[in-house]
Amino acid sequence: MGIEEKLPSGVLLTTVEGVAGYMRKASFWPATFGLACCAIEMMTSGGPKYDLARFGMEVFRASPRQADLMIVAGRVSNKMAPVLRQIYDQMAEPKYVLAMGVCASSGGMFNNYAIVQGVDHVVPVDMYLPGCPPRPEMLIDAILKLHDQVQATKLGVNRLNEIEQQETAALKALPTSQMKGLLR
C-alpha cells in the first residue's frame, strides 16, 4: 500500500529535475551554423517533409543568445574555429553541441593544415552524428537521442558534481594519439 493508491486520480508525482528535463528537451532552439554540404541536409530536416517542429524546434535561430543547441554541420576551418567558439560562448546555458557529419566529427577526408580535425577541439560536443552527409532522418534520430540525455540531466549541485566527475574522467583518459587497435 503506497502513496500512489491514496492519491486521487489525476495527481501526478514526479521530481523537479524530471519536469525541468522534460521542458528543456521539448523546447530546443538550434543555432544556425552550416559550413558545408551537411548544412543542406540540416535545412531539409526543418522543411515540411521531415518537420522538426514536431519536436519543438520550429525556427533555427540566427542569434546565439536565443539558441541552446548548436548543430555544427560540415567541416570547420582553422579560420572559422574562433568564430565558432565565440558563438558557443554567447549561447545561453544550458547549451548543447551536435557535430553533424564526419567532417565536423573528425575532419573527414580533409586531413590537412586548414581543417580542424574534429570540432571537439574547439567546443565540447554532446552528440556525434556520422555520415557524409548524414540524412535528415539521422539528424532527427540524433536530436531525439540528445533529448533523452537532456531529460536525464541533473540540476544544481548534482549537476556540478556530475560535470566534475566527467572532467576528471576525461583528464584521466588516454589521448587518442596514444590509442592503439585491439590486440588479440
Side-chain angles (χ1 to χ4, degrees):
M1 183 118 168
I3 191 169
E4 294 86 9
E5 296 171 2
K6 294 182 179 181
L7 292 173
S9 64
V11 174
L12 177 69
L13 296 177
T14 188
T15 62
V16 173
E17 285 181 348
V19 171
Y22 181 79
M23 295 303 167
R24 281 184 182 166
K25 86 169 194 172
S27 63
F28 268 155
W29 286 7
T32 53
F33 209 84
L35 298 169
C37 45
C38 290
I40 302 297
E41 302 294 326
M42 180 178 67
M43 289 181 254
T44 303
S45 66
K49 183 174 181 181
Y50 299 102
D51 194 20
L52 274 176
R54 294 176 292 166
F55 308 109
M57 300 174 64
E58 284 84 12
V59 181
F60 282 86
R61 302 294 166 184
S63 169
R65 290 175 180 88
Q66 297 175 347
D68 56 0
L69 171 64
M70 176 185 281
I71 302 173
V72 181
R75 60 189 178 271
V76 179
S77 67
N78 285 324
K79 280 186 171 183
M80 188 56 75
V83 176
L84 177 85
R85 183 61 199 207
Q86 181 180 12
I87 290 174
Y88 175 80
D89 289 339
Q90 290 175 354
M91 289 171 59
E93 289 286 345
K95 50 191 168 189
Y96 307 95
V97 177
L98 193 150
M100 181 178 178
V102 70
C103 293
S105 299
S106 64
M109 65 188 107
F110 303 100
N111 188 10
N112 61 33
Y113 67 93
I115 302 299
V116 175
Q117 299 300 305
V119 74
D120 54 355
H121 292 287
V122 183
V123 294
V125 176
D126 297 293
M127 180 73 64
Y128 294 93
L129 177 58
C132 184
R135 300 272 312 138
E137 297 94 342
M138 295 171 66
L139 176 60
I140 291 171
D141 182 58
I143 290 170
L144 292 177
K145 288 179 181 173
L146 191 57
H147 279 182
D148 295 339
Q149 280 184 8
V150 169
Q151 185 161 7
T153 301
K154 300 187 180 311
L155 296 176
V157 177
N158 297 333
R159 177 69 180 145
L160 296 176
N161 292 338
E162 186 179 53
I163 291 171
E164 187 176 326
Q165 289 172 356
Q166 290 172 351
E167 288 177 353
T168 303
L171 290 173
K172 291 181 182 176
L174 188 65
T176 55
S177 61
Q178 296 176 2
M179 290 182 181
K180 304 293 179 199
L182 294 174
L183 299 175
R184 295 182 192 241

